[in-house]
Amino acid sequence: MNSSIGLKKRLALEVFRKIHRNRVSLHELRTLFWECTLRCNIACRHCGSDCRVSAAYPDMPVEDFLQVIDEITPFVDTHKLLIIFTGGEALVRPDIETCGLELYKREYPWGIVSNGLLFAERLDSLLASGLRTATISLDGFEEEHNWLRRHPDSFSHAEQSVKELIKTTGVNWDVVTCANRKNFDSLPRFKKYLLDLGVKQWRIFTVFPVGRAADIPELQLNNMQFVQLMDFIRDCRREGFHVSYGCEGFLGNYEADVRDHFYECHAGVSVASVLADGSISGCPSIRANYYQGNIYKDRFMDVWNNGFKPYRDREWTRRGECADCKMFRYCEGNGMHLHNDNGDLLVCHYNRIKEGIHNSIP
């Protein structure tokens, strides 16, 4: 086991680095998240580890979000801009279908991220409103999933949501799993369960230790487990199962082995979000103060075209453990959501891998 990057992969990283810099220069908006609510029908152990806003904050009216969409429309190819509803749990809102249908009329593809508790019962109406993508959280078998989600019926509803999606056509969907110490050892069995169920795309992510997530040791994989997770994902892909690690983090020698592409942070480059209070940000995972404006006082496209400088020029992250790192040219300080208000990096995946490999050598 070796953490060094071979010549062939390093050359490929150099090529991809140029591609990424071109994308930054063009900054074509491809994905827009709408944090349509902060309310939720479950209370996951890992959720809201760094939230700043109370779930009591009122939902943004559909009309306010559609006003943003209508402002954007003259400047984008509507067929190539995916709108994604997120939360909280988006489906606690009864008007998701109403908004989805309006997006469909404007020829935008749209999708939803859901915990699955209400998804199956709403699927027909979501499809009728133009649903094109979906992500359902399924975090292991029943005991493990319900432990993480803290709801006794969460697994059964999420499983049913997946079963209903398997029957559908025209929807690009996946299952997403939070790898943690509770479900780590059962991931190989869970992989077989998903395959037997009929799942074609599986995405795995890990939790970084911030806020209340830092106080729950079971949520965090140790560095050796993290390396083993990368090996597991790589092996699944070699077997033909389309499994990928979440978009966060430069992964050294695992680059292009555990995802379909080399690492890049899309936040502020091709991905933006409108948050519940109207803030304009990169992806909704970013909770530190990197907001670029607010729809209630700024025009979205003005912000997109003229703002987002901390996202597109990442030299400010060349500090601390990143200051002298030879991988900075490929990593650029890791994902934006992994920096706090002071700009400090919260976790380095590349260093985790190096330490995990080092600790595994007898």
Side-chain angles (χ1 to χ4, degrees):
M1 192 179 295
N2 194 331
S3 62
S4 61
I5 301 176
L7 177 60
K8 184 177 180 180
K9 185 163 290 188
R10 193 177 286 268
L11 290 173
L13 282 165
E14 286 294 333
V15 172
F16 189 79
R17 179 172 176 265
K18 294 179 181 178
I19 293 172
H20 172 69
R21 297 314 306 167
N22 185 57
R23 286 177 179 159
V24 171
S25 177
L26 295 173
H27 53 266
E28 296 177 340
L29 186 62
R30 292 300 187 204
T31 304
L32 178 62
F33 287 92
W34 181 30
E35 187 184 57
C36 61
T37 184
L38 291 173
R39 295 181 293 128
C40 194
N41 45 15
I42 56 178
C44 303
R45 295 180 190 275
H46 65 306
C47 185
S49 60
D50 54 349
C51 281
R52 307 294 182 87
V53 187
S54 167
Y57 197 91
D59 296 347
M60 179 185 295
V62 167
E63 294 77 14
D64 294 0
F65 180 66
L66 289 176
Q67 185 173 336
V68 175
I69 295 300
D70 289 337
E71 179 206 325
I72 290 173
T73 298
F75 303 99
V76 300
D77 183 341
T78 60
H79 302 139
K80 294 181 179 179
L81 175 54
L82 175 65
I83 313 296
I84 301 179
F85 298 102
T86 187
E89 168 57 36
L91 289 178
V92 300
R93 291 186 64 139
D95 55 1
I96 291 299
E97 291 88 344
T98 300
C99 188
L101 187 57
E102 290 299 321
L103 293 173
Y104 177 77
K105 291 176 181 177
R106 290 161 171 80
E107 300 187 357
Y108 284 94
W110 64 272
I112 196 165
V113 177
S114 176
N115 60 37
L117 206 60
L118 299 172
F119 185 85
E121 65 188 66
R122 297 268 290 272
L123 181 55
D124 287 345
S125 60
L126 292 169
L127 291 170
S129 302
L131 178 74
R132 288 295 174 266
T133 73
T135 292
I136 302 297
S137 295
L138 201 55
D139 299 296
F141 294 108
E142 185 168 15
E143 180 181 351
E144 300 155 351
H145 177 94
N146 289 347
W147 171 82
L148 185 65
R149 299 288 164 174
R150 296 201 294 189
H151 191 293
D153 301 319
S154 180
F155 177 84
S156 60
H157 285 264
E159 181 186 51
Q160 187 60 37
S161 296
V162 172
K163 289 179 178 179
E164 293 301 321
L165 277 169
I166 289 169
K167 302 175 189 176
T168 66
T169 58
V171 178
N172 183 18
W173 62 275
D174 65 356
V175 167
V176 63
T177 298
C178 173
N180 56 78
R181 295 186 191 181
K182 283 278 190 178
N183 65 14
F184 182 75
D185 290 336
S186 64
L187 285 176
R189 289 190 298 111
F190 191 62
K191 175 193 76 171
K192 184 178 185 307
Y193 157 81
L194 291 177
L195 285 170
D196 291 344
L197 203 60
V199 172
K200 303 297 184 184
Q201 297 186 81
W202 184 24
R203 188 156 36 100
I204 300 175
F205 72 99
T206 49
V207 179
F208 55 96
V210 173
R212 77 179 187 217
D215 299 325
I216 307 175
E218 294 94 337
L219 287 178
Q220 310 299 324
L221 298 182
N222 62 42
N223 291 339
M224 289 179 63
Q225 289 173 323
F226 186 73
V227 170
Q228 291 168 0
L229 178 65
M230 295 301 107
D231 290 336
F232 171 73
I233 294 173
R234 182 187 59 195
D235 292 344
C236 287
R237 293 172 65 87
R238 288 175 176 174
E239 293 167 5
F241 189 12
H242 192 253
V243 185
S244 61
Y245 182 63
C247 60
E248 66 179 49
F250 176 74
L251 302 172
N253 202 36
Y254 287 103
E255 283 297 315
D257 289 343
V258 295
R259 302 188 187 103
D260 296 341
H261 50 77
F262 288 107
Y263 167 74
E264 61 180 328
C265 182
H266 297 278
V269 176
S270 60
V271 175
S273 62
V274 174
L275 303 181
D277 64 354
S279 294
I280 300 170
S281 185
C283 75
S285 297
I286 300 169
R287 289 297 173 182
N289 187 19
Y290 297 106
Y291 306 137
Q292 298 297 292
N294 192 291
I295 65 166
Y296 292 113
K297 63 181 182 69
D298 303 300
R299 292 181 63 81
F300 181 92
M301 288 308 296
D302 288 344
V303 174
W304 179 254
N305 288 327
N306 302 309
F308 287 93
K309 290 180 173 56
Y311 293 78
R312 296 169 188 168
D313 183 356
R314 302 289 297 279
E315 278 299 313
W316 62 270
T317 66
R318 197 190 287 268
R319 50 188 285 191
E321 62 185 307
C322 297
D324 301 315
C325 181
K326 295 180 180 179
M327 296 297 112
F328 184 87
R329 62 191 293 105
Y330 311 127
C331 175
E332 296 188 333
N334 229 337
M336 282 291 295
H337 70 292
L338 296 174
H339 290 266
N340 63 19
D341 285 340
N342 298 322
D344 302 322
L345 181 62
L346 301 172
V347 61
C348 173
H349 295 70
Y350 179 64
N351 283 339
R352 290 196 69 188
I353 288 171
K354 287 198 299 181
E355 292 170 10
I357 291 175
H358 176 76
N359 293 336
S360 66
I361 297 174

